[in-house]
Amino acid sequence: MAAVLSDPAPHTLIGGTADTPQTLRSRRQRMTAGSPAPAVSWLDWVIQLRDMPCPTGTVQATVSLAEHSSTAEIGLGGGNPLAA
């Protein structure tokens, strides 16, 4: 997944620069440890197209639970699966 997300090509459209594979791996380690807040859950899925042999992106959600409501923030990250 780090190789796909570190591809600089998508950034020609969205701006910014791609993180290095090592930066992405470090971020993944922090995310898999989970949120330090008990009422917040971090969810993460890898996207893989059926016709592709490797991942193509990720979907993340941060879910916050409150007494009478819940909130979810969703993000999508994609890259070039051929970069992997």
Side-chain angles (χ1 to χ4, degrees):
M1 206 55 243
V4 171
L5 295 178
S6 65
D7 180 21
H11 293 276
T12 60
L13 298 172
I14 62 174
T17 57
D19 288 329
T20 66
Q22 181 56 41
T23 299
L24 291 164
R25 286 184 190 100
S26 295
R27 183 180 303 143
R28 167 78 58 204
Q29 288 175 339
R30 288 190 307 273
M31 288 174 54
T32 57
S35 171
V40 176
S41 295
W42 293 341
L43 308 171
D44 192 31
W45 298 272
V46 173
I47 301 169
Q48 182 171 344
L49 301 176
R50 289 183 184 159
D51 296 338
M52 298 300 295
C54 57
T56 58
T58 62
V59 176
Q60 295 103 13
T62 300
V63 180
S64 302
L65 304 175
E67 189 173 334
H68 297 289
S69 67
S70 299
T71 304
E73 296 178 32
I74 298 176
L76 174 65
N80 180 356
L82 301 177

